[in-house]
Amino acid sequence: MNIHFYLYLCTSKQDIMAKLQKSIDKRNALIKATIELVNNNGFHATAMSKIAKIANVSPATIYLYFENKQDLVNQTYLDVKTKYTDFVFKTYNENISIKDGFELIWKRIAEFNSKESEYSFFLNQCNNTPMIDESSRQEGIKHLQPLLDLWKRGKADGIIKPFSDQILYAYSINPLSFLMMAQKQGHFQLNDHIEEAFVTAWDSIKR
Amino acid sequence: MNIHFYLYLCTSKQDIMAKLQKSIDKRNALIKATIELVNNNGFHATAMSKIAKIANVSPATIYLYFENKQDLVNQTYLDVKTKYTDFVFKTYNENISIKDGFELIWKRIAEFNSKESEYSFFLNQCNNTPMIDESSRQEGIKHLQPLLDLWKRGKADGIIKPFSDQILYAYSINPLSFLMMAQKQGHFQLNDHIEEAFVTAWDSIKR
DNA sequence: AAAAAAAGAATGAACATTCATTTTTATCTA
DNA sequence: TAGATAAAAATGAATGTTCATTCTTTTTTT
């Protein structure tokens, strides 16, 4: 019997909430452990037993929350991707000039890469390997819809180059992933060059 | 007794050459198989026995050529990286304007990505995961020295932005990796947009 | 007291690597 | 040059380990 059906059957509202929180905590601990281990060792060298140990849980318990290892990694990916998108667009609204809107979103992405580099690194790995099921990886950059809309507006106004979203993304957003990796390996400090990086991004896509 | 010492002891020059070729062929077959399997399944799901099967060799034979699995992958990485660098700078010489030199190199890289996408994809995976030993991955983008020299000249002449090589690379070269991945997943056709991609690259780094 | 959740130990498959043997190649002798 | 011999290369099967997953028992919750 799964956790949520079980919760439904409980009587006290407080109990339900406490229980739910506990199971959420456990799931989060598992996802956190997965990110940490996959980042450091890669998917292949990440054993379920190690994930369990770091999450302070028995290996068997993982299977109460996830179907199998693949499911655990897929769900971790989707979780992290959601965190990313939520963070990036939290401060955005459409009533703003093209350039300012782009700057706002770009800087949020940079901030996410910098502050949540564990998450960024994990996403990056997922996007560049066959670690994740194709179905979970979904359709490329669609999750950045507000940014794509902004670009559409920018193209219509003659402010942004009339090129495909793939190109605009490749040149203005994706470089942040590379810079983050370079930072992780100690070749670079993104924070010392944010403005330079932004100018370069804007120069690449502006008309 | 290793292959090369053995070869040294042989008498006929023809024999030596034939023998050497044969062992080179086998090594190449193993490396080719490794690339194919790692690209499709990732390092973790690539069994030595499968590599052996695809290379038409016994699993045990792999260990005549490589110390172990990690060594096989490291050597594969170094091999492919050398192919990449050789291809990219084959047509380059320094007596050329900054912009033309950049265009020449950039288009060679694009061509390599397009024609040798198996290699590119493999390199990309290696650069974004802990699959390769840190020592084999070496020092970032140092292998592109002629390009770094060109940029140095360009900065001195006020033609290229006076930013770090990491930034210039992130914006003008790395996007090609993303576009190649997008192409692999069917979101994009690089060949249909080469000129757009080049213009964007140049706009990003030119002063 | 009953039911669910969690645990640790057990299971079986997969895998990297090694071992014992066979096959191929090269060298030597008549 | 043919045939015998020795050495290396290649092999398929064996080994021991690791790991995902499951099973049975214990603990916790209601």
Side-chain angles (χ1 to χ4, degrees):
Chain A
M1 183 165 302
N2 86 33
I3 287 166
H4 297 92
F5 181 57
Y6 166 72
L7 288 168
Y8 174 75
L9 292 177
C10 287
T11 42
S12 152
K13 210 166 194 177
Q14 269 189 328
D15 285 356
I16 291 179
M17 298 313 283
K19 199 76 207 155
L20 185 57
Q21 191 53 51
K22 209 171 155 192
S23 80
I24 289 176
D25 287 348
K26 229 164 233 175
R27 186 176 181 279
N28 285 341
L30 285 167
I31 285 187
K32 187 157 180 279
T34 302
I35 294 167
E36 179 183 331
L37 287 168
V38 169
N39 277 356
N40 289 321
N41 312 314
F43 181 78
H44 75 281
T46 297
M48 294 296 264
S49 57
K50 282 186 197 149
I51 294 173
K53 189 166 286 174
I54 291 196
N56 271 312
V57 139
S58 154
T61 303
I62 299 180
Y63 293 85
L64 299 175
Y65 292 81
F66 303 95
E67 236 175 77
N68 51 39
K69 189 178 181 183
Q70 187 64 59
D71 181 48
L72 166 59
V73 174
N74 284 342
Q75 287 202 38
T76 300
Y77 173 73
L78 293 174
D79 246 55
V80 173
K81 197 159 176 179
T82 299
K83 281 188 173 68
Y84 173 86
T85 308
D86 288 351
F87 183 92
V88 165
F89 295 114
K90 187 157 198 172
T91 62
Y92 177 72
N93 78 70
E94 297 181 359
N95 311 319
I96 190 173
S97 77
I98 302 292
K99 184 174 179 185
D100 288 350
F102 177 72
E103 181 164 356
L104 188 68
I105 293 170
W106 190 94
K107 290 201 167 156
R108 287 292 281 187
I109 293 176
E111 192 181 344
F112 187 87
N113 275 309
S114 187
K115 284 196 182 149
E116 309 284 1
S117 60
E118 286 288 303
Y119 290 151
S120 302
F121 186 68
F122 182 79
L123 284 180
N124 206 31
Q125 237 187 113
C126 292
N127 289 329
N128 287 293
T129 68
M131 181 171 115
I132 298 289
D133 284 344
E134 200 52 55
S135 62
S136 291
R137 213 202 310 269
Q138 287 178 332
E139 339 172 35
I141 60 179
K142 290 275 171 62
H143 62 112
L144 296 175
Q145 197 56 51
L147 177 61
L148 307 187
D149 292 341
L150 183 75
W151 282 342
K152 190 172 185 182
R153 202 149 55 87
K155 291 179 207 174
D157 295 359
I159 292 172
I160 303 263
K161 289 189 176 106
F163 297 166
S164 86
D165 291 338
Q166 299 291 335
I167 288 190
L168 299 182
Y169 182 88
Y171 283 91
S172 69
I173 305 298
N174 195 59
L176 282 167
S177 295
F178 175 84
L179 294 175
M180 185 200 57
M181 298 294 293
Q183 169 158 313
K184 189 184 166 83
Q185 291 173 220
H187 300 309
F188 184 75
Q189 272 295 334
L190 181 53
N191 280 322
D192 300 343
H193 302 271
I194 283 284
E195 287 307 322
E196 295 177 359
F198 174 70
V199 166
T200 310
W202 178 249
D203 280 354
S204 73
I205 64 167
K206 79 154 193 269
R207 199 136 185 200
Chain B
M1 182 166 301
N2 84 33
I3 287 166
H4 296 91
F5 181 56
Y6 166 73
L7 288 170
Y8 174 74
L9 293 177
C10 287
T11 43
S12 153
K13 210 166 194 176
Q14 269 189 329
D15 284 356
I16 292 180
M17 298 313 282
K19 197 74 208 156
L20 185 58
Q21 191 52 53
K22 210 171 155 192
S23 79
I24 289 175
D25 287 349
K26 230 165 231 176
R27 187 176 179 279
N28 284 341
L30 285 166
I31 286 188
K32 186 158 181 278
T34 302
I35 294 167
E36 178 183 331
L37 286 169
V38 169
N39 276 356
N40 289 321
N41 313 313
F43 182 79
H44 76 282
T46 297
M48 293 297 262
S49 57
K50 281 185 201 151
I51 294 174
K53 189 166 286 174
I54 292 196
N56 270 313
V57 138
S58 153
T61 302
I62 299 180
Y63 293 86
L64 301 175
Y65 292 82
F66 304 95
E67 237 175 75
N68 50 40
K69 188 178 180 182
Q70 187 64 58
D71 181 47
L72 167 59
V73 174
N74 285 341
Q75 288 202 39
T76 301
Y77 173 72
L78 293 174
D79 247 56
V80 174
K81 198 160 174 177
T82 300
K83 281 189 173 69
Y84 173 86
T85 309
D86 288 352
F87 183 92
V88 165
F89 295 115
K90 187 158 200 174
T91 62
Y92 177 72
N93 78 71
E94 298 182 357
N95 311 319
I96 191 174
S97 77
I98 302 292
K99 184 172 179 186
D100 288 350
F102 176 72
E103 180 163 355
L104 189 68
I105 294 170
W106 189 94
K107 289 202 168 155
R108 286 292 280 186
I109 294 175
E111 192 182 343
F112 187 86
N113 275 308
S114 187
K115 283 196 184 148
E116 310 285 1
S117 60
E118 286 287 303
Y119 290 152
S120 303
F121 186 67
F122 182 79
L123 284 180
N124 206 31
Q125 237 187 113
C126 291
N127 289 329
N128 288 293
T129 66
M131 179 171 116
I132 297 289
D133 284 343
E134 200 52 56
S135 61
S136 292
R137 212 202 311 268
Q138 288 178 330
E139 341 171 34
I141 60 178
K142 291 273 171 64
H143 64 113
L144 295 176
Q145 197 56 52
L147 177 61
L148 306 187
D149 293 342
L150 183 76
W151 282 342
K152 191 173 184 181
R153 202 149 56 86
K155 290 179 207 174
D157 295 358
I159 292 172
I160 303 265
K161 290 189 174 108
F163 297 166
S164 87
D165 291 338
Q166 299 292 333
I167 288 189
L168 299 183
Y169 181 87
Y171 283 91
S172 70
I173 305 297
N174 195 58
L176 282 168
S177 296
F178 175 83
L179 293 176
M180 186 201 57
M181 298 295 294
Q183 171 159 311
K184 191 184 164 81
Q185 291 173 221
H187 299 311
F188 185 74
Q189 270 297 332
L190 181 53
N191 279 322
D192 300 342
H193 302 271
I194 282 283
E195 288 307 322
E196 295 177 0
F198 174 71
V199 165
T200 310
W202 178 249
D203 281 353
S204 72
I205 64 167
K206 78 151 194 271
R207 200 137 184 198

